[in-house]
Amino acid sequence: MGAQMSLFNLHDGYAEASVRGNRSALLTPEDYRKLTLCETLEDLRSALEDTDYAGFMQDEPLPITVTAISARLREKMADEFRVLQSLADQPLRQFLEFIVAERMIDNVVTLIQGAMNGKSQEELMAKADPLGWTPEMKALLAIDATNGYEDMYRTVLVETPVGGYFEDYLDKKQESGDQENLSELDLEIMRASLKKSWLEDFFSFCNQLPWTTQEIMADILNRQADFLCLSVTLNSLNSPMGGQTKLSDRNALFPHFGYLYPAATEALRKATNEQTIRAAIDTFPQYLEVFEQCRGYYIRNTDQEQVNENQFSLEDALYRQELTMYEMAFEQQMHYGVFYSWVKLKEQEIRNILWVADMILMNRRDTCMDMVLPIFAPRI
């Protein structure tokens, strides 16, 4: 163990020290309190100038928009991540590439979806995550999305880090005899399929790394796999994927690992309503808690329930549950989990800031903290 720790410091010590420095720059509860006192987006920019975000919008013309704030925040995060990449030796470099690949998957689906809906190139480029951007992706905007996936893969995605996942998806579609549909539902199925392949690949890679990284990333990725199973199941309830004839297609999206795997995953494969989902996860109290928080978002009795504008989606609920897990990754030393955790915490910080910005714009400053999840807040 001592030799392993010495080798870690030799190759990755400086990069780990850098990401821990980035962790100390995250906004504090006091910073958020100051943001909630802002009356305009210009005030919000000024308040952020007193934090690690100093100068991040100094050249932005007035009036400030939420879209501009979002773009500058994500660009700053991507720049900080690229610095970490420049410091990384193998296998840390490959580990960081897996983090980038997850954002690439989201970018590909977002660009295809936007092109199908007739969105402008400027709007789609603004929505793309700079952390998962490659020059090849711009070519997606010039392809007729209605012609199917094959052309997109052969001309654009084959040379990207997510090309292999996309090829696997195309192979499975051909084996099943499916036509190349490009409906909204099909795009979400594609996203889930690509994420499943990425998760399984990342999990296998992390199992080859030193023990501390294995242990921390196993916990993180097992939970990610479980949430993908739950997300696919819940989202299928109000779609054709929830019918008996489509269950095999839905169940093919479940990862072959996770805390739910195999027994609870097998039960979820047969779940088609609230009762069967609850029964499948009955022995997992942390997931039952998440299910209770978001069940109304997916399962509604229209005669008895009104839609609550503050209803949690599964994504909202899992952010709340996972936050402590990412914070705790920083309690241990000499492992790669801090890099993944910092990215997740930084993304939550950006969501926090954008929520406050939206509430300011809507003149609802009294609700600014309703959906903000302070990071590394003092615990009583």
Side-chain angles (χ1 to χ4, degrees):
M1 178 64 72
Q4 185 184 94
M5 294 172 73
S6 298
L7 289 173
F8 184 95
N9 276 334
L10 177 64
H11 295 288
D12 304 312
Y14 187 68
E16 186 194 25
S18 297
V19 78
R20 289 181 183 277
N22 290 349
R23 166 256 186 269
S24 66
L26 293 168
L27 298 183
T28 66
E30 177 61 19
D31 291 327
Y32 285 114
R33 188 191 69 80
K34 292 178 181 178
L35 296 185
T36 62
L37 298 177
C38 298
E39 297 183 358
T40 67
L41 295 185
E42 287 75 18
D43 292 341
L44 182 71
R45 177 176 66 173
S46 297
L48 288 171
E49 288 290 324
D50 294 330
T51 70
D52 189 59
Y53 289 101
F56 85 113
M57 293 190 75
Q58 62 183 4
D59 298 324
E60 194 67 34
L62 296 177
I64 301 296
T65 65
V66 175
T67 300
I69 293 174
S70 175
R72 301 293 88 74
L73 290 174
R74 289 183 292 126
E75 287 171 5
K76 184 178 187 301
M77 175 185 167
D79 289 342
E80 291 172 349
F81 186 85
R82 291 185 187 109
V83 170
L84 296 175
Q85 287 181 298
S86 71
L87 300 173
D89 289 331
Q90 294 290 14
L92 176 57
R93 185 179 299 122
Q94 180 63 38
F95 182 92
L96 298 180
E97 288 175 1
F98 272 107
I99 295 176
V100 171
E102 183 180 13
R103 278 82 195 157
M104 287 184 178
I105 290 171
D106 289 328
N107 277 349
V108 168
V109 177
T110 298
L111 291 174
I112 296 173
Q113 193 171 40
M116 285 176 55
N117 294 331
K119 302 293 185 182
S120 68
Q121 289 196 14
E122 293 75 14
E123 184 177 354
L124 292 176
M125 295 279 284
K127 287 184 176 180
D129 188 336
L131 186 55
W133 179 258
T134 66
E136 295 90 346
M137 289 183 182
K138 192 171 183 179
L140 283 174
L141 304 178
I143 294 176
D144 184 359
T146 59
N147 289 335
Y149 299 121
E150 190 73 23
D151 190 34
M152 297 178 193
Y153 170 68
R154 299 301 175 194
T155 60
V156 179
L157 299 174
V158 64
E159 296 298 334
T160 69
V162 297
Y165 306 137
F166 207 94
E167 184 177 22
D168 288 344
Y169 174 71
L170 287 176
D171 289 343
K172 290 171 185 174
K173 284 183 70 68
Q174 291 171 357
E175 289 172 5
S176 65
D178 285 352
Q179 298 298 313
E180 286 197 21
N181 301 317
L182 279 176
S183 65
E184 293 287 335
L185 174 60
D186 201 51
L187 284 174
E188 289 309 312
I189 294 172
M190 183 182 76
R191 187 199 301 270
S193 179
L194 297 175
K195 284 288 181 77
K196 173 201 172 184
S197 297
W198 168 81
L199 268 172
E200 291 178 340
D201 200 10
F202 196 14
F203 185 75
S204 176
F205 174 78
C206 289
N207 280 339
Q208 304 170 39
L209 297 175
W211 171 244
T212 305
T213 297
Q214 280 188 42
E215 181 182 37
I216 291 172
M217 289 306 301
D219 185 35
I220 289 172
L221 295 179
N222 275 320
R223 290 174 184 268
Q224 292 287 325
D226 291 346
F227 281 124
L228 179 57
C229 289
L230 290 171
S231 177
V232 167
T233 305
L234 289 172
N235 281 301
S236 73
L237 294 180
N238 298 313
S239 79
M241 292 291 288
Q244 290 293 335
T245 59
K246 289 288 187 178
L247 278 185
S248 61
D249 294 335
R250 183 196 74 176
N251 294 342
L253 303 175
F254 291 0
H256 292 93
F257 73 98
Y259 291 124
L260 294 175
Y261 185 82
T265 300
E266 187 60 33
L268 280 175
R269 292 178 186 276
K270 304 171 185 176
T272 56
N273 54 44
E274 177 180 357
Q275 290 71 32
T276 50
I277 293 174
R278 186 187 299 276
I281 59 175
D282 185 61
T283 57
F284 295 85
Q286 70 274 31
Y287 296 154
L288 275 176
E289 179 184 349
V290 168
F291 179 71
E292 286 301 325
Q293 290 176 351
C294 69
R295 58 173 291 279
Y297 188 90
Y298 300 94
I299 306 166
R300 299 193 188 101
N301 182 331
T302 55
D303 295 329
Q304 298 178 6
E305 295 186 27
Q306 298 295 320
V307 178
N308 185 337
E309 65 176 358
N310 292 323
Q311 195 91 61
F312 286 149
S313 68
L314 179 65
E315 289 73 21
D316 294 329
L318 73 87
Y319 290 147
R320 292 172 178 270
Q321 190 173 96
E322 290 184 330
L323 190 65
T324 300
M325 177 177 63
Y326 296 132
E327 292 175 344
M328 293 302 294
F330 283 87
E331 297 298 317
Q332 298 192 58
Q333 305 291 321
M334 301 182 186
H335 64 89
Y336 294 168
V338 289
F339 295 91
Y340 187 87
S341 296
W342 173 77
V343 169
K344 289 291 188 177
L345 293 174
K346 192 69 174 179
E347 288 176 336
Q348 181 58 52
E349 180 173 273
I350 291 173
R351 282 189 289 269
N352 288 343
I353 295 171
L354 294 179
W355 170 265
V356 174
D358 282 332
M359 294 304 99
I360 291 172
L361 200 62
M362 297 168 63
N363 198 27
R364 295 175 56 184
R365 291 191 298 122
D366 57 320
T367 64
C368 274
M369 291 300 293
D370 287 0
M371 297 293 286
V372 167
L373 302 180
I375 301 166
F376 291 108
R379 297 187 180 91
I380 300 177

